[in-house]
Amino acid sequence: MDEENSVLDTQRPPDGEVVLHYEQTAQPIVEYYVQPTPLPGKKKPQSAPLTPKKRRRGRKVFLVCLAVVVLAGAVITALYAAGVLGTAGGGYPGGYERYDSFPETESETRIPTYPNGDGTKLRYEETHGTELTIQEVYERVNPCTVTVMTALPDGSAMVGTGVIFTQDGYILTNAHVIVGGTECYVVLISGESYEAKLVGFDEEKDLAVIKVDGHGLPAAQFGDSDALTVGDTVYAIGNPLGVNLRGTLTDGIVSAINRDVYVDGVTMTLIQTNAALNNGNSGGPLINVYGQVIGINTMKMGSSTTTSVEGLGFAIPIASAAYMINDLIAYGEIHGEVVIGISVNIAPVVAADGGTALEVYEVVKDGPGDQAGILAGDYVIAADGERLTSSNDLIRIRRRHEAGETLRLEMERGGERYVAEVVLRESER
């Protein structure tokens, strides 16, 4: 995700901090499969030559980066078992033939759509229960992790992973799993298959929401990725390297937080982990020790002829992506994050009462903070009644709100207290 900027209440980085920008192009380590039989109700497509996949605008190579399709074996087997795809045949499990080159998928995404604006929201918990064993984490999250298969116009299929977040069938995945598709199917770990409709997606942010007509489905609990620290244990669930390895659980640590990954003109701010992420993990969950999904696995850095790379996986943090996911549900596209229109220093200062506060170093002209009377040099003591001990506290509380809502800030100027009623608004993308 993009770093907070001055419009989005940025934080001034401490002196000497080094932010890495990856200049090496992430390798497109995906596999595609060509269907020997058509999807339900479709004629068998004419065979077409497979050509190298052209780069899409922005971060096309990045989007196809981590494991889109070795999950294919799992979903295809399940779909055949469920009778969705007909009789299996061919040289690969489920009757699909494997191709190492990439099919052309520059066509428009034509997956049937689901109506927006029904009030559904993805919520993540800022608190958590007791720490779980690795077995308990797997038992809790694996049923919520699904296989997503997207049919492409030339008869090939892209396959990835998704995470159910409502019992009636809203599912979060990566945009590159569904882009260019004509139909989409979801398979649960139980083998049940559903036709999915597209709620919304954004290629640049690599996020997509799809919907199946389900009831009482196992829904994952989402947690606060902002609460992560380097060294925390995390887990990933996916289907690396084929049918026989589906549902694989891997573990590791948080290697870095707020890591800028720059690929093909686009920068995303991601969680870095050394948990093994291979073909098949794309769109799957990164999980904390409390069984909460705190990231969506999206890519890994691959080796080249000159560089050997191990243990560099990346996930989209849930805390910074939640508003985007909710925009996709409400509008089918991402509008913008709500902003206060002020920038504060990361390090807290001491207020007149001896407690902590955050010093405002910039106020956006005519922004919400400016209109509420906030000036540079003021101290922010509390937000919505919660005392602030770090700049992350202010960001966390702001993210609870939507555009048009009021954030109540307790302020200090020259040792005197005042209250700023800030009416939040959306940033411009």
Side-chain angles (χ1 to χ4, degrees):
M1 303 295 93
D2 294 337
E3 285 281 8
E4 305 279 353
N5 54 42
S6 60
V7 177
L8 299 178
D9 314 309
T10 68
Q11 308 163 36
R12 178 178 293 161
D15 293 341
E17 180 179 357
V18 177
V19 179
L20 296 181
H21 293 275
Y22 293 96
E23 302 297 336
Q24 179 183 350
T25 302
Q27 294 181 0
I29 49 171
V30 298
E31 297 167 349
Y32 286 79
Y33 294 83
V34 175
Q35 303 171 135
T37 55
L39 289 169
K42 300 294 179 181
K43 296 180 179 179
K44 185 171 182 177
Q46 296 292 326
S47 59
L50 297 178
T51 58
K53 196 177 187 71
K54 296 179 181 177
R55 286 193 176 189
R56 291 182 186 276
R57 174 179 52 86
R59 55 187 277 271
K60 180 60 182 178
V61 173
F62 181 87
L63 291 180
V64 295
C65 247
L66 169 68
V68 175
V69 282
V70 177
L71 284 178
V75 67
I76 294 160
T77 299
L79 286 174
Y80 274 106
V84 174
L85 293 180
T87 303
Y92 197 83
Y96 276 53
E97 298 177 36
R98 173 180 167 178
Y99 287 82
D100 292 326
S101 58
F102 304 136
E104 181 60 62
T105 58
E106 294 296 322
S107 59
E108 180 183 359
T109 303
R110 300 196 303 273
I111 298 170
T113 58
Y114 186 82
N116 299 109
D118 67 358
T120 298
K121 292 183 181 298
L122 182 145
R123 304 288 189 185
Y124 65 89
E125 300 293 331
E126 296 177 4
T127 59
H128 54 75
T130 58
E131 185 172 331
L132 304 179
T133 66
I134 188 170
Q135 293 85 1
E136 290 170 333
V137 168
Y138 186 74
E139 183 179 359
R140 174 176 294 186
V141 184
N142 194 40
C144 313
T145 306
V146 300
T147 302
V148 181
M149 186 180 80
T150 302
L152 300 176
D154 64 358
S156 63
M158 293 194 299
V159 186
T161 311
V163 182
I164 304 171
F165 63 91
T166 68
Q167 292 185 342
D168 64 345
Y170 276 92
I171 297 167
L172 177 61
T173 187
N174 283 147
H176 67 261
V177 174
I178 56 88
V179 166
T182 57
E183 292 179 277
C184 184
Y185 291 88
V186 166
V187 180
L188 276 61
I189 191 172
S190 64
E192 295 178 271
S193 63
Y194 297 84
E195 185 170 2
K197 293 185 177 180
L198 178 60
V199 178
F201 71 99
D202 188 288
E203 287 190 68
E204 185 174 294
K205 302 301 183 183
D206 202 12
L207 291 168
V209 177
I210 57 178
K211 176 72 167 65
V212 300
D213 186 15
H215 303 281
L217 299 179
Q221 182 183 92
F222 287 72
D224 186 4
S225 56
D226 283 344
L228 293 173
T229 58
V230 173
D232 284 351
T233 298
V234 288
Y235 309 103
I237 297 177
N239 298 256
L241 306 182
V243 177
N244 294 331
L245 300 180
R246 66 181 183 270
T248 294
L249 173 70
T250 59
D251 69 334
I253 62 169
V254 174
S255 304
I257 54 176
N258 297 325
R259 178 69 83 201
D260 279 358
V261 180
Y262 178 83
V263 179
D264 202 20
V266 176
T267 300
M268 297 183 76
T269 303
L270 305 171
I271 303 166
Q272 181 182 328
T273 180
N274 69 341
L277 302 180
N278 292 288
N279 293 357
N281 288 96
S282 187
L286 189 70
I287 312 154
N288 64 17
V289 294
Y290 309 105
Q292 298 171 320
V293 177
I294 43 78
I296 297 299
N297 300 317
T298 188
M299 68 162 289
K300 64 182 279 189
M301 299 302 293
S303 300
S304 68
T305 56
T306 58
T307 305
S308 178
V309 178
E310 298 290 343
L312 289 179
F314 299 90
I316 301 169
I318 290 300
S320 58
Y323 86 91
M324 304 180 197
I325 297 163
N326 290 331
D327 274 358
L328 292 177
I329 297 170
Y331 313 114
E333 60 185 9
I334 297 173
H335 282 190
E337 188 167 11
V338 296
V339 297
I340 305 173
I342 64 174
S343 298
V344 300
N345 287 311
I346 291 177
V349 294
V350 179
D353 64 359
T356 57
L358 304 176
E359 183 178 8
V360 178
Y361 71 83
E362 184 179 2
V363 179
V364 177
K365 182 176 175 56
D366 296 325
D370 185 28
Q371 293 181 352
I374 298 174
L375 300 177
D378 289 355
Y379 290 174
V380 188
I381 296 172
D384 286 347
E386 294 186 29
R387 190 81 189 218
L388 303 177
T389 59
S390 73
S391 54
N392 283 335
D393 291 339
L394 181 58
I395 294 173
R396 174 175 50 81
I397 296 169
R398 184 205 64 197
R399 284 174 175 161
R400 298 173 185 168
H401 290 274
E402 298 180 0
E405 294 182 346
T406 299
L407 175 64
R408 188 177 189 273
L409 298 179
E410 296 177 36
M411 308 291 299
E412 181 181 306
R413 180 182 301 159
E416 299 294 326
R417 294 281 190 100
Y418 74 96
V419 173
E421 300 282 348
V422 181
V423 180
L424 301 171
R425 69 176 67 156
E426 290 180 351
S427 64
E428 296 182 4
R429 292 194 65 193

PDB file of all heavy atoms in Angstrom, residues 162 207 226 266 284 295 313 373:
ATOM      1  N   GLY A 162      -8.236 -17.431  -2.158  1.00  0.00           N
ATOM      2  CA  GLY A 162      -9.058 -16.375  -1.582  1.00  0.00           C
ATOM      3  C   GLY A 162      -9.338 -16.665  -0.126  1.00  0.00           C
ATOM      4  O   GLY A 162      -9.122 -17.778   0.351  1.00  0.00           O
ATOM      5  N   LEU A 207      -6.007  -5.896  -5.355  1.00  0.00           N
ATOM      6  CA  LEU A 207      -7.076  -6.350  -4.481  1.00  0.00           C
ATOM      7  C   LEU A 207      -8.333  -6.611  -5.300  1.00  0.00           C
ATOM      8  O   LEU A 207      -8.631  -5.875  -6.252  1.00  0.00           O
ATOM      9  CB  LEU A 207      -7.394  -5.311  -3.405  1.00  0.00           C
ATOM     10  CG  LEU A 207      -6.321  -5.081  -2.331  1.00  0.00           C
ATOM     11  CD1 LEU A 207      -6.659  -3.835  -1.514  1.00  0.00           C
ATOM     12  CD2 LEU A 207      -6.198  -6.296  -1.418  1.00  0.00           C
ATOM     13  N   ASP A 226      -1.180  -3.340  11.891  1.00  0.00           N
ATOM     14  CA  ASP A 226      -0.362  -2.277  12.475  1.00  0.00           C
ATOM     15  C   ASP A 226       0.237  -2.687  13.813  1.00  0.00           C
ATOM     16  O   ASP A 226       1.178  -2.048  14.295  1.00  0.00           O
ATOM     17  CB  ASP A 226      -1.191  -1.008  12.668  1.00  0.00           C
ATOM     18  CG  ASP A 226      -1.401  -0.240  11.363  1.00  0.00           C
ATOM     19  OD1 ASP A 226      -0.667  -0.523  10.386  1.00  0.00           O
ATOM     20  OD2 ASP A 226      -2.292   0.623  11.314  1.00  0.00           O
ATOM     21  N   VAL A 266       5.333   1.127  -9.924  1.00  0.00           N
ATOM     22  CA  VAL A 266       4.348   1.197  -8.842  1.00  0.00           C
ATOM     23  C   VAL A 266       5.024   0.808  -7.535  1.00  0.00           C
ATOM     24  O   VAL A 266       5.770  -0.161  -7.474  1.00  0.00           O
ATOM     25  CB  VAL A 266       3.146   0.268  -9.111  1.00  0.00           C
ATOM     26  CG1 VAL A 266       2.187   0.273  -7.932  1.00  0.00           C
ATOM     27  CG2 VAL A 266       2.433   0.699 -10.383  1.00  0.00           C
ATOM     28  N   GLY A 284      -3.699 -15.673  -0.809  1.00  0.00           N
ATOM     29  CA  GLY A 284      -3.976 -16.410   0.416  1.00  0.00           C
ATOM     30  C   GLY A 284      -3.645 -15.620   1.663  1.00  0.00           C
ATOM     31  O   GLY A 284      -3.066 -14.532   1.612  1.00  0.00           O
ATOM     32  N   GLY A 295      -2.707 -10.197   6.648  1.00  0.00           N
ATOM     33  CA  GLY A 295      -2.175  -9.821   5.346  1.00  0.00           C
ATOM     34  C   GLY A 295      -2.677 -10.745   4.258  1.00  0.00           C
ATOM     35  O   GLY A 295      -3.119 -11.859   4.527  1.00  0.00           O
ATOM     36  N   GLY A 313       9.198 -12.873   0.900  1.00  0.00           N
ATOM     37  CA  GLY A 313       7.797 -12.848   0.517  1.00  0.00           C
ATOM     38  C   GLY A 313       7.137 -11.589   1.035  1.00  0.00           C
ATOM     39  O   GLY A 313       7.604 -10.973   2.001  1.00  0.00           O
ATOM     40  N   GLY A 373      -9.601  24.398  12.588  1.00  0.00           N
ATOM     41  CA  GLY A 373      -8.848  25.358  13.381  1.00  0.00           C
ATOM     42  C   GLY A 373      -7.510  24.873  13.897  1.00  0.00           C
ATOM     43  O   GLY A 373      -6.895  25.548  14.728  1.00  0.00           O
TER      44      GLY A 373
END
